[in-house]
Amino acid sequence: MRSKYIFIAVGIVVTMVSCKKEHRLVDPPVIPARHILLKDITIPNLPSPYYHFEYNTDSLLTKASFASDFTRYDVLYRDNKISEMRNNIVVNHDTLRYQYDNTGRVTLIRFINAADVIYRLAFFSYEGNEIKKIEWDQKVDGVGYIVDRVLSFTFYTDGNVKTITEHRPPMTGVDDYTSVKTFDQYDDKINVDDFSLIHDGIHDHLFLLQGFRLQKNNPKKERLSVNGTELYTIDYSYTYNSDNTPVNKAGDFLYLSGQYAGQRFQTNSFYSYY
């Protein structure tokens, strides 16, 4: 997920010291801010590590990988913003090229293959300071670009995402698809994996968030409905480091419909840091 969002700056705590004789305040020592650098996210029974990140000596994210190097990216910057993510596995050398508006928010990512063809586009639109919609368009020979996937977002007043609505238009052999994922009961701790909320797993490239957040904190409940049918709920519990970063996210998953309705199973995500 970390550009400016993977490594989250933690505030500096300073102490005012009083002089015993003169009862005056002495300037506190300057303590450098510590960056929290996410290393791995590991999910049992999935390729490990599921996400992995590397940084340079300035704590700038330089490499990211997914599903035990199913995709592996070199992350390049211009003016302190991600300019490109280059997949460098043997069978794929796609480049994700970022474009920004004059306020520094990403507005477009072009997906470019090794033949220098722009085969996919991701458009970003905003409402105030919050992301409103991301639309993916796929290039179809002889037709042009068609809408493939759309995510729409609503937020709580504290800046944490409330709902993510995903729509995929019908295609040959595939029905129209609309899902709504709802999050609530947020804690007051640090979120480090909100980039994963928009990643479509093995079906699409990972890209890192620039200029916006989806979750500042960690939700304790998640619900999903698909085409109007409630599919599942997950109740999350967390353990944290002393700096309020998560070590483990444990989920109690309950199917609400379908052949597995009423069945439960446990999920886990484990987080490590540099």
Side-chain angles (χ1 to χ4, degrees), residues 156 162-164 179-185 219-226 229-236 254 256:
Y156 294 103
K162 180 178 182 180
T163 62
I164 300 176
S179 69
V180 181
K181 191 173 288 186
T182 304
F183 304 89
D184 55 28
Q185 299 178 28
K220 295 183 179 179
K221 183 176 283 290
E222 175 185 326
R223 303 189 305 276
L224 178 72
S225 67
V226 175
T229 299
E230 294 291 329
L231 190 61
Y232 69 69
T233 64
I234 310 177
D235 292 306
Y236 291 115
L254 172 64
L256 299 177

mmCIF file of all heavy atoms in Angstrom, residues 156 162-164 179-185 219-226 229-236 254 256:
data_model
loop_
_atom_site.group_PDB
_atom_site.id
_atom_site.type_symbol
_atom_site.label_atom_id
_atom_site.label_comp_id
_atom_site.label_asym_id
_atom_site.label_seq_id
_atom_site.Cartn_x
_atom_site.Cartn_y
_atom_site.Cartn_z
ATOM 1 N N TYR A 156 -17.084 8.745 6.724
ATOM 2 C CA TYR A 156 -17.500 9.326 7.990
ATOM 3 C C TYR A 156 -16.838 10.696 8.137
ATOM 4 O O TYR A 156 -15.893 11.037 7.410
ATOM 5 C CB TYR A 156 -17.090 8.419 9.156
ATOM 6 C CG TYR A 156 -17.799 7.091 9.192
ATOM 7 C CD1 TYR A 156 -17.155 5.926 8.767
ATOM 8 C CD2 TYR A 156 -19.101 6.981 9.658
ATOM 9 C CE1 TYR A 156 -17.791 4.689 8.809
ATOM 10 C CE2 TYR A 156 -19.745 5.750 9.706
ATOM 11 C CZ TYR A 156 -19.082 4.610 9.279
ATOM 12 O OH TYR A 156 -19.731 3.399 9.310
ATOM 13 N N LYS A 162 -16.677 4.863 4.791
ATOM 14 C CA LYS A 162 -17.880 4.198 5.302
ATOM 15 C C LYS A 162 -18.319 3.099 4.347
ATOM 16 O O LYS A 162 -18.513 1.947 4.755
ATOM 17 C CB LYS A 162 -19.013 5.191 5.503
ATOM 18 C CG LYS A 162 -20.297 4.555 6.029
ATOM 19 C CD LYS A 162 -21.384 5.601 6.264
ATOM 20 C CE LYS A 162 -22.649 4.959 6.825
ATOM 21 N NZ LYS A 162 -23.720 5.976 7.057
ATOM 22 N N THR A 163 -18.490 3.430 3.071
ATOM 23 C CA THR A 163 -18.906 2.437 2.085
ATOM 24 C C THR A 163 -18.013 2.509 0.845
ATOM 25 O O THR A 163 -17.564 3.588 0.443
ATOM 26 C CB THR A 163 -20.370 2.616 1.645
ATOM 27 O OG1 THR A 163 -20.517 3.901 1.009
ATOM 28 C CG2 THR A 163 -21.310 2.510 2.824
ATOM 29 N N ILE A 164 -17.772 1.339 0.267
ATOM 30 C CA ILE A 164 -17.134 1.231 -1.041
ATOM 31 C C ILE A 164 -18.090 0.454 -1.928
ATOM 32 O O ILE A 164 -18.376 -0.725 -1.684
ATOM 33 C CB ILE A 164 -15.786 0.497 -0.961
ATOM 34 C CG1 ILE A 164 -14.823 1.233 -0.030
ATOM 35 C CG2 ILE A 164 -15.169 0.369 -2.358
ATOM 36 C CD1 ILE A 164 -13.494 0.514 0.165
ATOM 37 N N SER A 179 -21.529 -4.455 -5.785
ATOM 38 C CA SER A 179 -21.357 -4.823 -4.386
ATOM 39 C C SER A 179 -21.205 -3.571 -3.550
ATOM 40 O O SER A 179 -20.756 -2.524 -4.039
ATOM 41 C CB SER A 179 -20.133 -5.722 -4.203
ATOM 42 O OG SER A 179 -18.930 -4.995 -4.446
ATOM 43 N N VAL A 180 -21.593 -3.671 -2.292
ATOM 44 C CA VAL A 180 -21.418 -2.571 -1.335
ATOM 45 C C VAL A 180 -20.732 -3.132 -0.104
ATOM 46 O O VAL A 180 -21.247 -4.043 0.558
ATOM 47 C CB VAL A 180 -22.762 -1.925 -0.933
ATOM 48 C CG1 VAL A 180 -22.514 -0.777 0.054
ATOM 49 C CG2 VAL A 180 -23.502 -1.419 -2.163
ATOM 50 N N LYS A 181 -19.558 -2.605 0.189
ATOM 51 C CA LYS A 181 -18.814 -3.002 1.379
ATOM 52 C C LYS A 181 -18.907 -1.859 2.380
ATOM 53 O O LYS A 181 -18.592 -0.707 2.061
ATOM 54 C CB LYS A 181 -17.359 -3.298 1.022
ATOM 55 C CG LYS A 181 -16.559 -3.956 2.122
ATOM 56 C CD LYS A 181 -15.168 -4.367 1.621
ATOM 57 C CE LYS A 181 -15.252 -5.551 0.681
ATOM 58 N NZ LYS A 181 -13.896 -6.052 0.301
ATOM 59 N N THR A 182 -19.330 -2.174 3.607
ATOM 60 C CA THR A 182 -19.551 -1.170 4.646
ATOM 61 C C THR A 182 -18.615 -1.430 5.818
ATOM 62 O O THR A 182 -18.469 -2.571 6.267
ATOM 63 C CB THR A 182 -21.007 -1.187 5.130
ATOM 64 O OG1 THR A 182 -21.884 -1.002 4.012
ATOM 65 C CG2 THR A 182 -21.260 -0.084 6.154
ATOM 66 N N PHE A 183 -18.005 -0.363 6.323
ATOM 67 C CA PHE A 183 -17.101 -0.445 7.465
ATOM 68 C C PHE A 183 -17.622 0.430 8.597
ATOM 69 O O PHE A 183 -18.107 1.541 8.353
ATOM 70 C CB PHE A 183 -15.695 0.039 7.082
ATOM 71 C CG PHE A 183 -15.090 -0.682 5.915
ATOM 72 C CD1 PHE A 183 -15.295 -0.243 4.622
ATOM 73 C CD2 PHE A 183 -14.316 -1.821 6.114
ATOM 74 C CE1 PHE A 183 -14.736 -0.906 3.541
ATOM 75 C CE2 PHE A 183 -13.743 -2.495 5.045
ATOM 76 C CZ PHE A 183 -13.958 -2.029 3.753
ATOM 77 N N ASP A 184 -17.513 -0.055 9.825
ATOM 78 C CA ASP A 184 -17.881 0.804 10.951
ATOM 79 C C ASP A 184 -17.141 0.374 12.210
ATOM 80 O O ASP A 184 -16.330 -0.543 12.199
ATOM 81 C CB ASP A 184 -19.395 0.872 11.163
ATOM 82 C CG ASP A 184 -20.041 -0.483 11.338
ATOM 83 O OD1 ASP A 184 -19.372 -1.420 11.808
ATOM 84 O OD2 ASP A 184 -21.238 -0.612 11.014
ATOM 85 N N GLN A 185 -17.442 1.090 13.308
ATOM 86 C CA GLN A 185 -16.816 0.869 14.616
ATOM 87 C C GLN A 185 -15.292 0.987 14.534
ATOM 88 O O GLN A 185 -14.556 0.109 14.978
ATOM 89 C CB GLN A 185 -17.226 -0.493 15.185
ATOM 90 C CG GLN A 185 -18.721 -0.634 15.413
ATOM 91 C CD GLN A 185 -19.109 -2.000 15.942
ATOM 92 O OE1 GLN A 185 -18.321 -2.666 16.610
ATOM 93 N NE2 GLN A 185 -20.342 -2.418 15.653
ATOM 94 N N PRO A 219 -11.190 -0.530 11.148
ATOM 95 C CA PRO A 219 -12.592 -0.851 11.434
ATOM 96 C C PRO A 219 -12.714 -2.159 12.208
ATOM 97 O O PRO A 219 -11.950 -3.097 12.007
ATOM 98 C CB PRO A 219 -13.198 -0.990 10.037
ATOM 99 C CG PRO A 219 -12.055 -1.497 9.202
ATOM 100 C CD PRO A 219 -10.818 -0.820 9.752
ATOM 101 N N LYS A 220 -13.709 -2.210 13.071
ATOM 102 C CA LYS A 220 -13.968 -3.438 13.821
ATOM 103 C C LYS A 220 -15.085 -4.270 13.198
ATOM 104 O O LYS A 220 -15.325 -5.394 13.632
ATOM 105 C CB LYS A 220 -14.289 -3.109 15.279
ATOM 106 C CG LYS A 220 -13.108 -2.479 16.015
ATOM 107 C CD LYS A 220 -13.409 -2.225 17.473
ATOM 108 C CE LYS A 220 -12.199 -1.620 18.190
ATOM 109 N NZ LYS A 220 -12.466 -1.335 19.617
ATOM 110 N N LYS A 221 -15.738 -3.727 12.186
ATOM 111 C CA LYS A 221 -16.802 -4.490 11.516
ATOM 112 C C LYS A 221 -16.789 -4.170 10.026
ATOM 113 O O LYS A 221 -16.577 -3.029 9.624
ATOM 114 C CB LYS A 221 -18.179 -4.177 12.108
ATOM 115 C CG LYS A 221 -19.307 -5.014 11.488
ATOM 116 C CD LYS A 221 -20.641 -4.748 12.179
ATOM 117 C CE LYS A 221 -20.718 -5.457 13.516
ATOM 118 N NZ LYS A 221 -20.832 -6.939 13.331
ATOM 119 N N GLU A 222 -17.013 -5.213 9.230
ATOM 120 C CA GLU A 222 -17.116 -5.092 7.772
ATOM 121 C C GLU A 222 -18.299 -5.927 7.304
ATOM 122 O O GLU A 222 -18.508 -7.041 7.777
ATOM 123 C CB GLU A 222 -15.830 -5.578 7.117
ATOM 124 C CG GLU A 222 -15.847 -5.630 5.604
ATOM 125 C CD GLU A 222 -14.567 -6.238 5.040
ATOM 126 O OE1 GLU A 222 -13.478 -6.031 5.646
ATOM 127 O OE2 GLU A 222 -14.650 -6.932 4.011
ATOM 128 N N ARG A 223 -19.082 -5.373 6.364
ATOM 129 C CA ARG A 223 -20.221 -6.085 5.800
ATOM 130 C C ARG A 223 -20.164 -5.981 4.282
ATOM 131 O O ARG A 223 -19.740 -4.957 3.746
ATOM 132 C CB ARG A 223 -21.555 -5.509 6.304
ATOM 133 C CG ARG A 223 -21.702 -5.495 7.798
ATOM 134 C CD ARG A 223 -23.123 -5.126 8.235
ATOM 135 N NE ARG A 223 -23.591 -3.861 7.697
ATOM 136 C CZ ARG A 223 -23.332 -2.679 8.240
ATOM 137 N NH1 ARG A 223 -22.584 -2.597 9.338
ATOM 138 N NH2 ARG A 223 -23.803 -1.562 7.713
ATOM 139 N N LEU A 224 -20.630 -7.025 3.610
ATOM 140 C CA LEU A 224 -20.650 -7.013 2.146
ATOM 141 C C LEU A 224 -21.993 -7.495 1.632
ATOM 142 O O LEU A 224 -22.510 -8.526 2.073
ATOM 143 C CB LEU A 224 -19.544 -7.915 1.579
ATOM 144 C CG LEU A 224 -19.516 -8.004 0.051
ATOM 145 C CD1 LEU A 224 -19.008 -6.697 -0.548
ATOM 146 C CD2 LEU A 224 -18.656 -9.173 -0.427
ATOM 147 N N SER A 225 -22.547 -6.735 0.692
ATOM 148 C CA SER A 225 -23.717 -7.186 -0.054
ATOM 149 C C SER A 225 -23.350 -7.211 -1.536
ATOM 150 O O SER A 225 -22.573 -6.383 -2.010
ATOM 151 C CB SER A 225 -24.921 -6.273 0.168
ATOM 152 O OG SER A 225 -24.689 -4.981 -0.392
ATOM 153 N N VAL A 226 -23.909 -8.193 -2.269
ATOM 154 C CA VAL A 226 -23.649 -8.337 -3.697
ATOM 155 C C VAL A 226 -24.977 -8.413 -4.421
ATOM 156 O O VAL A 226 -25.816 -9.268 -4.109
ATOM 157 C CB VAL A 226 -22.805 -9.596 -3.988
ATOM 158 C CG1 VAL A 226 -22.650 -9.795 -5.491
ATOM 159 C CG2 VAL A 226 -21.436 -9.493 -3.319
ATOM 160 N N THR A 229 -27.964 -8.677 -2.146
ATOM 161 C CA THR A 229 -28.033 -9.772 -1.177
ATOM 162 C C THR A 229 -26.909 -9.644 -0.163
ATOM 163 O O THR A 229 -25.741 -9.520 -0.543
ATOM 164 C CB THR A 229 -27.923 -11.143 -1.874
ATOM 165 O OG1 THR A 229 -29.006 -11.292 -2.796
ATOM 166 C CG2 THR A 229 -27.962 -12.274 -0.857
ATOM 167 N N GLU A 230 -27.253 -9.663 1.127
ATOM 168 C CA GLU A 230 -26.233 -9.602 2.172
ATOM 169 C C GLU A 230 -25.426 -10.899 2.145
ATOM 170 O O GLU A 230 -25.982 -11.989 2.301
ATOM 171 C CB GLU A 230 -26.884 -9.423 3.544
ATOM 172 C CG GLU A 230 -27.589 -8.090 3.722
ATOM 173 C CD GLU A 230 -26.614 -6.926 3.783
ATOM 174 O OE1 GLU A 230 -25.474 -7.128 4.275
ATOM 175 O OE2 GLU A 230 -26.971 -5.830 3.331
ATOM 176 N N LEU A 231 -24.119 -10.778 1.945
ATOM 177 C CA LEU A 231 -23.289 -11.961 1.751
ATOM 178 C C LEU A 231 -22.546 -12.377 3.014
ATOM 179 O O LEU A 231 -22.525 -13.552 3.375
ATOM 180 C CB LEU A 231 -22.276 -11.711 0.634
ATOM 181 C CG LEU A 231 -21.483 -12.920 0.155
ATOM 182 C CD1 LEU A 231 -22.410 -13.988 -0.413
ATOM 183 C CD2 LEU A 231 -20.446 -12.499 -0.898
ATOM 184 N N TYR A 232 -21.905 -11.425 3.720
ATOM 185 C CA TYR A 232 -21.158 -11.783 4.921
ATOM 186 C C TYR A 232 -20.979 -10.576 5.829
ATOM 187 O O TYR A 232 -21.164 -9.425 5.415
ATOM 188 C CB TYR A 232 -19.795 -12.388 4.581
ATOM 189 C CG TYR A 232 -18.775 -11.441 3.973
ATOM 190 C CD1 TYR A 232 -18.189 -10.406 4.711
ATOM 191 C CD2 TYR A 232 -18.346 -11.606 2.653
ATOM 192 C CE1 TYR A 232 -17.241 -9.559 4.168
ATOM 193 C CE2 TYR A 232 -17.393 -10.759 2.102
ATOM 194 C CZ TYR A 232 -16.843 -9.744 2.854
ATOM 195 O OH TYR A 232 -15.909 -8.902 2.317
ATOM 196 N N THR A 233 -20.599 -10.865 7.064
ATOM 197 C CA THR A 233 -20.098 -9.853 7.992
ATOM 198 C C THR A 233 -18.784 -10.389 8.577
ATOM 199 O O THR A 233 -18.582 -11.598 8.676
ATOM 200 C CB THR A 233 -21.065 -9.557 9.151
ATOM 201 O OG1 THR A 233 -21.211 -10.739 9.949
ATOM 202 C CG2 THR A 233 -22.416 -9.103 8.644
ATOM 203 N N ILE A 234 -17.900 -9.469 8.948
ATOM 204 C CA ILE A 234 -16.666 -9.827 9.648
ATOM 205 C C ILE A 234 -16.520 -8.907 10.855
ATOM 206 O O ILE A 234 -16.612 -7.679 10.715
ATOM 207 C CB ILE A 234 -15.405 -9.681 8.773
ATOM 208 C CG1 ILE A 234 -15.572 -10.371 7.426
ATOM 209 C CG2 ILE A 234 -14.189 -10.244 9.501
ATOM 210 C CD1 ILE A 234 -14.383 -10.187 6.493
ATOM 211 N N ASP A 235 -16.321 -9.490 12.016
ATOM 212 C CA ASP A 235 -15.994 -8.723 13.218
ATOM 213 C C ASP A 235 -14.498 -8.855 13.461
ATOM 214 O O ASP A 235 -13.983 -9.975 13.612
ATOM 215 C CB ASP A 235 -16.775 -9.253 14.419
ATOM 216 C CG ASP A 235 -18.260 -8.979 14.306
ATOM 217 O OD1 ASP A 235 -18.625 -7.811 14.103
ATOM 218 O OD2 ASP A 235 -19.052 -9.937 14.405
ATOM 219 N N TYR A 236 -13.803 -7.715 13.512
ATOM 220 C CA TYR A 236 -12.347 -7.709 13.652
ATOM 221 C C TYR A 236 -11.929 -7.378 15.075
ATOM 222 O O TYR A 236 -12.573 -6.558 15.756
ATOM 223 C CB TYR A 236 -11.718 -6.674 12.726
ATOM 224 C CG TYR A 236 -11.815 -6.991 11.258
ATOM 225 C CD1 TYR A 236 -12.560 -6.173 10.399
ATOM 226 C CD2 TYR A 236 -11.157 -8.092 10.708
ATOM 227 C CE1 TYR A 236 -12.648 -6.448 9.037
ATOM 228 C CE2 TYR A 236 -11.240 -8.371 9.351
ATOM 229 C CZ TYR A 236 -11.981 -7.546 8.522
ATOM 230 O OH TYR A 236 -12.073 -7.819 7.189
ATOM 231 N N LEU A 254 -18.651 -14.455 9.086
ATOM 232 C CA LEU A 254 -19.941 -15.141 9.115
ATOM 233 C C LEU A 254 -20.642 -14.986 7.777
ATOM 234 O O LEU A 254 -20.917 -13.878 7.322
ATOM 235 C CB LEU A 254 -20.838 -14.566 10.219
ATOM 236 C CG LEU A 254 -22.293 -15.058 10.250
ATOM 237 C CD1 LEU A 254 -22.365 -16.562 10.530
ATOM 238 C CD2 LEU A 254 -23.113 -14.265 11.263
ATOM 239 N N LEU A 256 -23.807 -14.929 5.480
ATOM 240 C CA LEU A 256 -25.204 -14.578 5.737
ATOM 241 C C LEU A 256 -26.165 -15.203 4.739
ATOM 242 O O LEU A 256 -27.373 -15.240 4.984
ATOM 243 C CB LEU A 256 -25.372 -13.056 5.705
ATOM 244 C CG LEU A 256 -24.571 -12.271 6.749
ATOM 245 C CD1 LEU A 256 -24.786 -10.778 6.556
ATOM 246 C CD2 LEU A 256 -24.957 -12.694 8.156
#
